Amino acid sequence: MSTALRRLVISILGLLAGVAAWPLMELILSYQHLFPSYFLFSLAQGALFGVVMGAFFGSGEGLTAKERGKIIHGTLMGAATGAAGGIVGFLAGQGILFLVVQQAFTSYRSQQMIAVPLARIVGWAILGIAVGASEGLRARSLKKTLVGAGGGFLGGVLGGASIEYVRTLYPELLYTRLVGLAVFGLLIGICYSLLERGVSLGILRVLNGPRRGKEYSFVQNRVSVGSDNKNDIVLDNYSYVAPKHARFRVRGKDVYIQHIDVKKGAKIYVNERPVETEQLLKYEDVIQIGSAKLFFKTE
């Protein structure tokens, strides 16, 4: 799968996450009267929405790579991170509303048009940060986590604004929450994808074998390659690929390839020349790892 198609899939997953969260949100709203306090209701609401959003986004990397282990791990990590972000975000929104914003806006109209939406947008932004950061946390990459958090924040602010102001400005519109939640998820996916593309230093495209045509972008500072499914780039079903064969390292704006496994057969070639320890890559280099060939190109 190309990186452009992968990013489109991530954006669509965001849209689907918002749609999937809508009936659950309507359900919990219908049972709000059963909660002993609004505080507990906010906790449940934030956790539920966060779980759904996080699970959808967390599964994205595994789905696009067609790797079952990453789908399961990513879904669980995303659900846990999303639940935490949802709880913190919804509580932060309520806290800001009651403790700060309402004090500055005394009229009913200003509170409904400015104070309440602004406070809730803060909560949506926090949820967006948690959802966007989930894949980076799964991959244990600080850079990827920050990129995801940044995309999630932008999407959370814009999406949160759409949720709050669609409901405020068009109360007569049917399914306003559905529209707002769908736009919220879509915008997180789009912002994440755009920010990821902006920081990427290039793309590796597989040229042959069962993963031919699949692309991987350099967003994190370390990218491991091998036949083991715990690697960032999994080259299973290729000959002479060790479980942990090679590592790509980003230093500044340069990308290097390094040996991990130096045992017999674990060889690396760049433009048909063997790599001894590590080598700086240039765009349009062809890297051979076992029987797999990869092409390094710009975004």
Side-chain angles (χ1 to χ4, degrees), residues 165-217:
Y165 283 107
V166 164
R167 182 173 58 189
T168 301
L169 298 175
Y170 304 100
E172 74 285 353
L173 183 67
L174 292 175
Y175 306 116
T176 53
R177 268 192 291 268
L178 172 60
V179 174
L181 292 173
V183 172
F184 174 79
L186 178 63
L187 286 173
I188 289 182
I190 291 174
C191 289
Y192 174 88
S193 298
L194 290 175
L195 193 57
E196 182 188 67
R197 189 184 189 284
V199 302
S200 174
L201 293 178
I203 293 173
L204 280 173
R205 181 180 179 87
V206 183
L207 298 176
N208 65 335
R211 294 183 178 266
R212 180 180 179 182
K214 191 175 291 295
E215 294 182 347
Y216 305 87
S217 60

Side-chain angles (χ1 to χ4, degrees), residues 96-130:
I96 291 172
L97 176 62
F98 291 125
L99 298 177
V100 180
V101 181
Q102 280 190 338
Q103 305 302 318
F105 300 91
T106 54
S107 72
Y108 177 80
R109 178 171 176 77
S110 66
Q111 287 185 3
Q112 294 303 306
M113 295 299 296
I114 301 175
V116 173
L118 285 179
R120 288 178 175 169
I121 287 170
V122 171
W124 292 117
I126 293 173
L127 173 59
I129 290 171

Side-chain angles (χ1 to χ4, degrees), residues 132 142-152 191-192 195-196 199 219:
L142 176 60
K143 184 178 179 181
K144 200 167 188 178
T145 300
L146 293 175
V147 169
C191 289
Y192 174 88
L195 193 57
E196 182 188 67
V199 302
V219 177

Side-chain angles (χ1 to χ4, degrees), residues 7-30:
R7 288 164 184 158
L8 176 61
V9 169
I10 296 296
S11 298
I12 293 173
L13 276 175
L15 174 65
L16 294 176
V19 172
W22 173 68
L24 298 176
M25 293 292 283
E26 295 297 317
L27 180 65
I28 196 171
L29 283 169
S30 67

Side-chain angles (χ1 to χ4, degrees), residues 1 11 17 20 38 52 87 94 181 200 222 239 253 262 269:
M1 180 180 292
S11 298
Y38 191 78
V52 175
I87 291 171
Q94 291 300 319
L181 292 173
S200 174
R222 293 186 181 186
S239 304
K253 294 187 177 181
V262 295
Y269 296 88

Side-chain angles (χ1 to χ4, degrees), residues 12-292:
I12 293 173
L13 276 175
L15 174 65
L16 294 176
V19 172
W22 173 68
L24 298 176
M25 293 292 283
E26 295 297 317
L27 180 65
I28 196 171
L29 283 169
S30 67
Y31 287 100
Q32 181 178 349
H33 63 281
L34 298 179
F35 287 85
S37 68
Y38 191 78
F39 175 77
L40 291 177
F41 171 72
S42 294
L43 286 179
Q45 191 180 30
L48 180 64
F49 188 71
V51 164
V52 175
M53 295 296 296
F56 269 81
F57 275 100
S59 68
E61 192 74 19
L63 285 172
T64 55
K66 297 180 180 179
E67 295 172 14
R68 184 178 178 182
K70 286 185 178 180
I71 294 174
I72 295 172
H73 190 192
T75 299
L76 294 175
M77 176 66 78
T81 307
I87 291 171
V88 173
F90 276 52
L91 290 180
Q94 291 300 319
I96 291 172
L97 176 62
F98 291 125
L99 298 177
V100 180
V101 181
Q102 280 190 338
Q103 305 302 318
F105 300 91
T106 54
S107 72
Y108 177 80
R109 178 171 176 77
S110 66
Q111 287 185 3
Q112 294 303 306
M113 295 299 296
I114 301 175
V116 173
L118 285 179
R120 288 178 175 169
I121 287 170
V122 171
W124 292 117
I126 293 173
L127 173 59
I129 290 171
V131 169
S134 60
E135 172 54 28
L137 292 173
R138 184 205 63 79
R140 298 180 181 179
S141 168
L142 176 60
K143 184 178 179 181
K144 200 167 188 178
T145 300
L146 293 175
V147 169
F153 172 76
L154 292 174
V157 169
L158 297 174
S162 71
I163 291 174
E164 299 304 326
Y165 283 107
V166 164
R167 182 173 58 189
T168 301
L169 298 175
Y170 304 100
E172 74 285 353
L173 183 67
L174 292 175
Y175 306 116
T176 53
R177 268 192 291 268
L178 172 60
V179 174
L181 292 173
V183 172
F184 174 79
L186 178 63
L187 286 173
I188 289 182
I190 291 174
C191 289
Y192 174 88
S193 298
L194 290 175
L195 193 57
E196 182 188 67
R197 189 184 189 284
V199 302
S200 174
L201 293 178
I203 293 173
L204 280 173
R205 181 180 179 87
V206 183
L207 298 176
N208 65 335
R211 294 183 178 266
R212 180 180 179 182
K214 191 175 291 295
E215 294 182 347
Y216 305 87
S217 60
F218 282 108
V219 177
Q220 57 204 74
N221 290 328
R222 293 186 181 186
V223 177
S224 60
V225 186
S227 60
D228 191 292
N229 60 14
K230 293 182 180 179
N231 289 288
D232 299 301
I233 299 177
V234 180
L235 297 176
D236 51 359
N237 298 320
Y238 286 88
S239 304
Y240 310 113
V241 178
K244 293 183 178 180
H245 197 118
R247 179 189 296 117
F248 293 93
R249 290 288 303 271
V250 175
R251 297 175 187 164
K253 294 187 177 181
D254 294 326
V255 178
Y256 292 81
I257 187 168
Q258 304 172 327
H259 277 281
I260 294 179
D261 194 332
V262 295
K263 293 187 295 185
K264 185 177 179 180
K267 296 181 180 179
I268 304 170
Y269 296 88
V270 175
N271 300 327
E272 300 184 346
R273 295 181 180 180
V275 175
E276 297 299 330
T277 304
E278 71 171 17
Q279 183 169 326
L280 174 66
L281 296 178
K282 305 184 300 296
Y283 293 126
E284 300 189 0
D285 278 346
V286 175
I287 302 113
Q288 183 171 344
I289 297 173
S291 63

